[in-house]
Amino acid sequence: MNTPHPGWVDVTPGGVSKSSALERVRITEKVSATRTIAVGDGGNDIDMLTWAAHGVAMGHAPSEVQEAADHVTGTLAEDGVVPVLALAATR
């Protein structure tokens, strides 16, 4: 189990994940799979990062999360998600 903190536990029904939920939203909203972006910083985000056409790990994320992503941005303190959203808005 990938947990961001020893006291943290994610509990979901079998077959349900962030990526499965996002896939349902993507289909409902008729978004092309090639236009998906996901940003995460914890072990529970790895599946989502690999699901997205462009997975972005936050700079403070553990190495296994960064390795699963296509790109690493700045940390929370650096507002690292801002340039990701700005770039996404131009596409």
Side-chain angles (χ1 to χ4, degrees):
M1 174 176 19
N2 292 320
T3 58
H5 183 277
W8 183 283
V9 177
D10 285 333
V11 179
T12 59
V16 176
S17 66
K18 289 181 180 183
S19 61
S20 67
L22 287 171
E23 180 64 8
R24 289 186 70 172
V25 171
R26 184 193 71 75
I27 291 168
T28 300
E29 296 299 319
K30 298 178 175 73
V31 174
S32 169
T34 62
R35 296 186 49 83
T36 56
I37 298 173
V39 181
D41 66 354
N44 63 338
D45 295 324
I46 291 174
D47 186 54
M48 174 184 68
L49 295 175
T50 59
W51 163 85
H54 190 76
V56 181
M58 297 295 293
H60 61 275
S63 61
E64 66 268 16
V65 177
Q66 292 186 19
E67 291 167 9
D70 301 304
H71 178 77
V72 178
T73 191
T75 66
L76 281 174
E78 299 166 333
D79 295 328
V81 75
V82 172
V84 176
L85 295 175
L87 180 61
T90 65
R91 293 183 176 198

